[in-house]
Amino acid sequence: QIVHWVDSGPADGEITTEVMRRLQVRPLRAPACGLSLAGLSRGPLVVVDDGSGLASAVVEQFAAHHITAVVGLPEPDAWGVLLLGGLADDAFRIARTVARRMTDRGGVFVTVQDTGGCFGLVDPRSERALLGGLAALARTAALEWPLAAVKAIDCQRGDRDEDAVAAAIVAELLTGGSTLDVGLRADGTRWTVGHEEVPATPGVSPITADSVLVATGGARGITAAALLALASAHCPRMLLIGRTSLTDDHTARGVVAAREIRANLDAFERAGATVRYAAVDVTDEAALKRELDQARLEWGPITGLVHGAGVLADKLIADKTDEQFDRVYATKVAGWQALLAATESDPLRLLCVFSSVAARFGNPGQSDYAMANETLNQLACAEAARRPDCRVRSIGWGPWQGGMVNPSLAAHFIQRGVPLIPLAAGARAFVAEVESADDAVEILVGAGQIATHPRTAAEITVNSRTHDYLADHAPAGTPVLPLAMALEWFTAASGGTHLCDVRVLSRIDLPDLAAGHRFTIEGQ
């Protein structure tokens, strides 16, 4: 899918807007369109097992529909890959194996996870949330590999045996068309992910002057701007966790970063907050525990967490290294897990993670970042289910003016017509989210209007067995494809989009109906 942020117009050479959009992410019922995912029969599919033995059952289901598939690991030139579960780093490496082939010549790439059948939005569980990144990998792959047919399936196993689960997966590939995100619940219902614009509902803030807030990435960049607005509103006590040393790093970059942190700490104090900074890697559990114990000794128990830490290492899937992936992913996911483990016994009233629209829509070059943030989304949903008295938010931000959006990246967004979130507007949106009383967990916030335009690529086979009545639709003695049937395919492939200005440029003959004809429906 491609995300277009519609802007109100450029100002001073930068595309920004004060019109902020807030979308709640929700599951939507989505009946199958009856068309196949493109390319299933064009080459052998490699089914990667998740250790459960499900792969063999999937291969048998494919064979029943005359589709060739094998269990194993894909070679670089593999035509199609069906990835059944697995850890994030393993899934990424498998995608990287076939990335150049998918980029240059296309193919089929499908991820399958079990995060409840609605991508963690229904019946979320922490132990399943770590599979959530697979869908974001597929979303990014769909953008990086425009010639490939890509799909992310969340198939809830429930009490079903392997044959039933395999049948559900293969049925989706044969009848679900090109819908990118598909949830298959154990009750047989089919879902996708949707968004609804809903303003934040004002409520009582869980942050007061007595609160003890721990924030990662909060001394610099956009997280600092957001927390400064919160400090001005509620004057909490804040422990800010970051990797930048205020004394040891004498490089030019280190000196500049330390100056920024000191300036921000002064601003927090002037705003009325009591603040302390600790140079700690959030994934270092022992060092994190020491700092939190000191904060508890001085201020009392921890009452809120804001996880804004993040790093980027933008590279296409084909070019991204293991080290880059691990660093980006661990900062988000392992960092959040460390925070939750270190505060398990604290009376938490606020949990907020800074996610990204890249998690929901994918973003070229950011497979690791998208996967990490989608995992955070699902972990947040699981925490919300586990802590009904705690306000939990996962905010999927669009790009900001500042922070990790450096001048080069900002120029890229400007060239694409993507408006940036002004710091002040984003900070106000963060405070509104903290204070919002609605029960939404996963939120998208950006400057301008969000519109998604999924690429359509579906297939259908027509022969005398599947469409025997076409033998009688032969005006000149040769069967032809009826216009009404083509319109049905277009409507089904596009998810019900209204069609207009339809023109028939030439008729489509079906001279050998017994042998059959395969049609691919493509659109943008």
Side-chain angles (χ1 to χ4, degrees):
Q1 295 178 343
I2 301 173
V3 184
H4 295 287
W5 299 80
V6 181
D7 172 50
S8 59
D12 299 327
E14 291 186 334
I15 299 179
T16 63
T17 177
E18 288 289 331
V19 179
M20 301 294 291
R21 303 298 185 196
R22 178 186 188 268
L23 304 183
Q24 291 185 6
V25 179
R26 294 180 173 175
L28 299 176
R29 288 290 293 270
C33 68
L35 304 177
S36 297
L37 183 69
L40 291 177
S41 301
R42 296 183 190 176
L45 305 176
V46 179
V47 182
V48 183
D49 200 3
D50 61 352
S52 68
L54 178 61
S56 296
V58 170
V59 168
E60 291 179 5
Q61 289 289 331
F62 275 132
H65 295 278
H66 309 289
I67 296 173
T68 303
V70 297
V71 179
L73 293 174
E75 297 294 329
D77 201 42
W79 164 257
V81 177
L82 181 63
L83 179 57
L84 299 177
L87 298 178
D89 52 354
D90 291 334
F92 163 74
R93 292 184 185 106
I94 289 169
R96 185 178 59 193
T97 298
V98 298
R100 296 205 181 279
R101 196 256 188 263
M102 296 288 175
T103 302
D104 297 339
R105 289 180 287 165
V108 174
F109 185 77
V110 179
T111 63
V112 181
Q113 63 196 53
D114 180 4
T115 50
C118 285
F119 298 95
L121 298 169
V122 178
D123 299 330
R125 295 183 185 177
S126 296
E127 65 272 17
R128 295 193 305 212
L130 294 178
L131 300 174
L134 269 68
L137 173 62
R139 295 163 190 158
T140 300
L143 297 178
E144 292 190 17
W145 309 336
L147 298 179
V150 180
K151 185 182 285 283
I153 300 175
D154 180 6
C155 185
Q156 183 186 34
R157 299 192 182 189
D159 296 329
R160 295 185 290 182
D161 61 22
E162 292 173 358
D163 289 338
V165 174
I169 293 169
V170 173
E172 167 57 32
L173 297 175
L174 294 175
T175 65
S178 60
T179 305
L180 179 56
D181 296 306
V182 175
L184 304 174
R185 297 275 288 170
D187 61 7
T189 56
R190 184 179 186 270
W191 300 79
T192 190
V193 181
H195 322 91
E196 180 181 3
E197 186 161 357
V198 180
T201 304
V204 177
S205 175
I207 301 299
T208 69
D210 296 324
S211 298
V212 178
L213 194 64
V214 176
T216 66
R220 299 179 60 201
I222 66 171
T223 315
L227 289 172
L228 182 57
L230 190 67
S232 299
H234 300 293
C235 305
R237 292 164 287 189
M238 296 190 293
L239 171 62
L240 307 182
I241 301 291
R243 293 184 177 183
T244 302
S245 171
L246 298 183
T247 58
D248 298 335
D249 190 343
H250 299 292
T251 65
R253 180 177 296 180
V255 170
V256 170
R259 287 176 180 171
E260 180 185 353
I261 291 173
R262 291 191 181 97
N264 286 334
L265 294 178
D266 290 341
F268 283 122
E269 294 283 359
R270 291 194 302 271
T274 302
V275 63
R276 184 162 64 84
Y277 175 77
V280 171
D281 182 341
V282 68
T283 63
D284 185 339
E285 296 183 10
L288 180 63
K289 182 179 184 303
R290 286 195 300 271
E291 294 297 337
L292 295 188
D293 285 344
Q294 183 62 35
R296 294 185 186 99
L297 183 64
E298 296 178 11
W299 299 332
I302 311 300
T303 60
L305 300 177
V306 176
H307 186 40
V311 295
L312 294 178
D314 288 6
K315 293 283 185 182
L316 297 177
I317 293 170
D319 302 320
K320 194 179 295 288
T321 66
D322 290 351
E323 186 278 331
Q324 290 168 335
F325 179 91
D326 293 341
R327 181 161 56 91
V328 172
Y329 189 86
T331 300
K332 284 287 186 182
V333 177
W336 182 237
Q337 290 176 308
L339 283 173
L340 291 177
T343 56
E344 181 63 33
S345 300
D346 286 290
L348 297 174
R349 298 196 60 219
L350 172 70
L351 295 176
C352 182
V353 296
F354 277 30
S355 182
S356 168
V357 293
R360 181 51 58 202
F361 301 112
N363 197 30
Q366 292 189 338
S367 56
D368 44 8
Y369 193 66
M371 294 173 72
N373 282 300
E374 177 62 8
T375 302
L376 284 187
N377 291 341
Q378 297 212 18
L379 287 170
C381 289
E383 289 300 313
R386 196 166 72 92
R387 305 171 187 260
D389 297 327
C390 182
R391 186 159 297 166
V392 182
R393 292 289 187 275
S394 184
I395 307 176
W397 295 107
W400 285 58
Q401 262 184 292
M404 291 187 290
V405 180
N406 57 33
S408 175
L409 191 53
H412 170 70
F413 284 125
I414 291 170
Q415 185 178 21
R416 292 174 56 197
V418 179
L420 306 179
I421 300 173
L423 284 177
R428 289 193 297 270
F430 168 71
V431 174
E433 211 54 63
V434 169
E435 296 177 346
S436 177
D438 61 41
D439 59 358
V441 176
E442 189 178 344
I443 300 295
L444 303 179
V445 177
Q449 181 65 50
I450 302 175
T452 61
H453 300 277
R455 173 179 175 269
T456 298
E459 286 186 350
I460 190 167
T461 297
V462 174
N463 56 42
S464 56
R465 179 176 56 84
T466 61
H467 299 76
D468 59 346
Y469 54 87
L470 291 181
D472 297 325
H473 189 72
T478 298
V480 298
L481 182 71
L483 174 61
M485 181 176 291
L487 293 179
E488 287 180 1
W489 295 348
F490 295 156
T491 303
S494 64
T497 299
H498 177 69
L499 302 176
C500 60
D501 192 22
V502 178
R503 305 179 187 182
V504 179
L505 302 180
S506 64
R507 73 181 190 182
I508 299 176
D509 291 335
L510 307 173
D512 191 353
L513 194 59
H517 302 266
R518 183 171 61 210
F519 293 93
T520 300
I521 301 95
E522 294 184 348
Q524 184 70 41

